[in-house]
Amino acid sequence: MRQLKLIWDFRGPDALKTAEHHEIHLKDYIKTEQLQTDITGFQSISNIHAIAYMVVPENIMKPIRDTLKPHRGQLYQE
């Protein structure tokens, strides 16, 4: 089954700290909803752009997308 990487973009001088904090909320959501996924993270793209992400199986993506409203998504490749 394909996996999708849901991505939240953060911009500005505090982007990395914001993305790091957002990952905490993603992990809380996974625990609360008892999802069978555990791939989350954050990454610095530049000094003013960072992302937080969560990887989910394609078959459960739509309700998660509708609830959490990521900015974009892409196929996840390990």
Side-chain angles (χ1 to χ4, degrees):
M1 176 170 301
R2 294 192 321 172
Q3 298 213 76
L4 303 174
K5 185 177 183 179
L6 304 179
I7 301 169
W8 291 262
D9 292 287
F10 301 97
R11 294 184 180 358
D14 294 326
L16 185 58
K17 287 183 180 182
T18 304
E20 186 176 1
H21 182 78
H22 192 72
E23 183 194 19
I24 294 168
H25 293 293
L26 295 175
K27 288 181 177 185
D28 288 344
Y29 179 81
I30 289 169
K31 185 176 178 182
T32 299
E33 297 297 317
Q34 300 176 350
L35 299 178
Q36 298 300 312
T37 187
D38 62 353
I39 304 171
T40 64
F42 61 93
Q43 177 183 357
S44 176
I45 305 301
S46 73
N47 61 343
I48 59 168
H49 182 205
I51 63 169
Y53 62 87
M54 175 170 64
V55 177
V56 298
E58 187 174 27
N59 66 326
I60 64 168
M61 180 274 298
K62 286 184 181 180
I64 295 170
R65 178 200 64 196
D66 293 346
T67 300
L68 299 181
K69 301 188 183 344
H71 298 127
R72 57 195 172 100
Q74 64 187 39
L75 277 176
Y76 176 70
Q77 302 194 1
E78 295 182 54

